Amino acid sequence: VLKNTNYIMGPEVSELEKRLENYTKAKHCITCASGTDALILSLLSLKVGRGDQVICPSFTFPATAEAILITGATPIFVDVSKTTYNLCYKELENILEKNKSKKNRIKAIISVDLFGLPANYSRLNKIATEYKVSIIADAAQSFGGSLKNIKVGAINDITCTSFFPAKPLGCYGDGGAVFVNKKSLKNKIES
């Protein structure tokens, strides 16, 4: 990059996306400026906006709630598990059950993986399907990990990560990526 001075959208970007797809086995990888941008792009691809609500864990980095607020939606904080510090699926189910008949429907869940440990996506995805809510996995701290031999990035329909230098896969400066398994989501995020 330094030799050819293609600092933005050079051929290295496409090469990185392909390498990340191969590594994670996700169908598509779209790189972006930051992990926060990855969250915002994911929320927008799900048509989350003003009047919507998005669940996120109470123990997370401020960018999680910031991304929700930037779309015009409202964050709903849910407690985390005492043992993993990831989103507590029991609390999640309680909140979804209490809110299912309200006018401002909960539209999405951002589950934040912590300390290298992916959340219990087997359980979370089952709950999300039951309540017809989309899950965005924030894998900024679990990239490189796996769950039941599936790499982070391919576990969910939408996974976001950050390449901030303090993350498991850091870059010079800041960067991020969204991993998706549906072509329609890839097209929306790229647009």
Side-chain angles (χ1 to χ4, degrees):
V1 172
L2 295 176
K3 276 186 179 179
N4 66 27
T5 66
N6 288 327
Y7 299 113
I8 300 170
M9 303 306 289
E12 295 84 3
V13 174
S14 297
E15 182 183 343
L16 174 64
E17 290 171 342
K18 290 293 173 217
R19 285 184 178 200
L20 291 170
E21 287 168 359
N22 289 337
Y23 175 76
T24 62
K25 305 297 184 237
K27 290 197 168 104
H28 308 285
C29 173
I30 307 100
T31 55
C32 57
S34 68
T36 304
D37 283 353
L39 291 171
I40 294 166
L41 290 167
S42 297
L43 289 165
L44 292 175
S45 75
L46 297 172
K47 297 182 180 173
V48 171
R50 192 162 312 285
D52 293 327
Q53 297 177 337
V54 178
I55 288 176
C56 66
S58 57
F59 185 56
T60 186
F61 187 69
T64 310
E66 176 188 32
I68 296 166
L69 291 167
I70 285 171
T71 67
T74 303
I76 296 185
F77 296 98
V78 172
D79 211 350
V80 295
S81 163
K82 292 177 189 174
T83 56
T84 66
Y85 299 100
N86 287 330
L87 193 64
C88 177
Y89 63 85
K90 291 175 187 173
E91 292 291 328
L92 172 65
E93 198 160 24
N94 288 339
I95 294 288
L96 288 168
E97 186 62 33
K98 287 177 187 173
N99 284 274
K100 73 179 182 181
S101 62
K102 291 187 178 177
K103 184 180 177 185
N104 288 345
R105 191 173 77 78
I106 294 171
K107 199 157 186 184
I109 300 161
I110 298 177
S111 179
V112 181
D113 304 342
L114 286 178
F115 311 119
L117 179 66
N120 185 344
Y121 289 110
S122 303
R123 187 62 70 73
L124 293 178
N125 285 327
K126 187 184 259 187
I127 293 167
T129 300
E130 181 183 335
Y131 287 91
K132 297 179 176 81
V133 178
S134 299
I135 288 190
I136 298 168
D138 180 337
Q141 286 196 26
S142 67
F143 191 78
S146 59
L147 184 67
K148 297 182 181 180
N149 295 319
I150 301 171
K151 286 276 190 201
V152 166
I155 298 169
N156 284 27
D157 285 338
I158 303 175
T159 301
C160 299
T161 197
S162 168
F163 300 129
F164 187 79
K167 302 301 182 194
L169 178 60
C171 65
Y172 292 109
D174 205 352
V178 183
F179 299 88
V180 295
N181 291 318
K182 294 179 181 173
K183 180 84 169 162
S184 59
L185 283 174
K186 176 189 185 280
N187 293 339
K188 283 181 187 177
I189 291 167
E190 284 182 334
S191 70

